[in-house]
Amino acid sequence: MEALLRYNHVDISYLGQPVIRDVSFSLHSGEILGIVGESGSGKSTLIKAAMGLLGSEGSITGGNICYRGRLLNRLPPREMRVLCGSELGYIFQNAGSSFCPIRTVGAQLYETMKEHEKISRKDFEVQALELLGKLGFADGKRILASYPFELSGGMQQRVGIAAAMLLNPSVLFADEPTSALDVTIQKQVVEEMLMVRKTFGTAIVLVTHNLGVIGAMADRVLVLENGRCVECGSTRQVLSQPRADYTKALLAAVPRLRR
């Protein structure tokens, strides 16, 4: 079965300094890949590269990223803009910073959908309210009429998740999607993302520090240490029988409650 997304020996640098070295993995339709590692190991950089979000100081200096046979790191900006949102979705770690502060949430979500498909305001509101309801918002109309600064950090995060999911992308990159949420909402978000995978066959690349979320969602796990892949395998194997010393150290650092 042909991979939907493939990283082939990818190197990434910022201002000439390497931060990702020779990382390779593949992702198939409907699969969830978890990427774990300590802060600064390169997890977010790895997924931002696929979306062209490395900024002016970052660049892919080796290898390539292939999506449906197209080399993402060689596509012109106009073609990348068509793919981003409709086929490649991204949930930002700090979703609040990705919204314009002087426009309502509804206006920004509607603009995102109009950019990729013809849709009336009424049809947009029906879809948006349904999704916001699944993400724990009891009053979705108020959320759509709100400005981002009127929402709490957790609410902004859930709206960011809704923005990425509205277009049902083939691949969803999720950068710490549950880090700003309380445990109850974390559960709702995890269930919603799993529902999207089941309903639409969405493939997900999940970056997180939360090994509980990895255990609940991921089919496979890739472990990063200082920009290098030290272990990659099925979630069950990596979490129960890790081979790399670094993976063992990560698992040993997880706090456990004693009776």
Side-chain angles (χ1 to χ4, degrees), residues 33-243:
L33 173 71
I35 301 179
V36 299
E38 60 192 309
S39 297
S41 60
K43 304 184 300 299
S44 296
T45 293
L46 195 60
I47 61 174
K48 284 180 178 179
M51 299 287 289
L53 297 175
L54 294 176
S56 59
E57 298 179 346
S59 62
I60 298 174
T61 52
N64 57 68
I65 303 173
C66 185
Y67 169 72
R68 295 189 188 276
R70 306 167 74 179
L71 298 181
L72 295 180
N73 47 312
R74 297 182 185 177
L75 286 182
R78 186 171 182 176
E79 291 186 42
M80 277 299 298
R81 184 173 178 176
V82 172
L83 286 179
C84 291
S86 61
E87 296 196 45
L88 304 174
Y90 197 101
I91 300 172
F92 291 89
Q93 184 171 359
N94 297 308
S97 62
S98 65
F99 289 100
C100 174
I102 59 173
R103 300 180 65 213
T104 65
V105 166
Q108 295 181 67
L109 295 184
Y110 183 41
E111 181 181 57
T112 298
M113 291 201 75
K114 281 203 309 179
E115 181 71 22
H116 295 282
E117 62 181 73
K118 291 183 179 180
I119 186 170
S120 68
R121 181 81 188 198
K122 183 177 180 180
D123 289 341
F124 155 74
E125 286 191 359
V126 170
Q127 293 185 35
L129 290 175
E130 181 182 2
L131 182 54
L132 289 173
K134 291 178 179 177
L135 290 172
F137 289 108
D139 189 0
K141 287 189 176 182
R142 183 182 68 82
I143 299 301
L144 293 179
S146 299
Y147 292 91
F149 62 82
E150 295 179 309
L151 306 177
S152 68
M155 294 168 78
Q156 290 177 358
Q157 188 68 12
R158 281 183 282 162
V159 170
I161 292 169
M165 289 182 171
L166 266 176
L167 290 164
N168 298 323
S170 299
V171 178
L172 183 62
F173 296 97
D175 190 357
E176 294 280 2
T178 62
S179 61
L181 307 177
D182 62 47
V183 175
T184 303
I185 301 301
Q186 281 187 25
K187 181 176 183 292
Q188 291 177 347
V189 169
V190 167
E191 289 175 348
E192 176 65 13
M193 292 175 71
L194 290 173
M195 185 276 292
V196 168
R197 187 261 288 268
K198 182 178 180 180
T199 305
F200 302 105
T202 307
I204 300 173
V205 182
L206 174 67
V207 165
T208 182
H209 289 93
N210 192 326
L211 292 176
V213 172
I214 288 290
M217 289 186 63
D219 302 305
R220 292 190 299 125
V221 181
L222 184 149
V223 183
L224 275 183
E225 179 186 17
N226 295 326
R228 295 184 184 275
C229 174
V230 296
E231 187 162 0
C232 187
S234 71
T235 301
R236 178 178 295 182
Q237 178 264 307
V238 172
L239 296 186
S240 63
Q241 297 178 317
R243 293 189 293 267

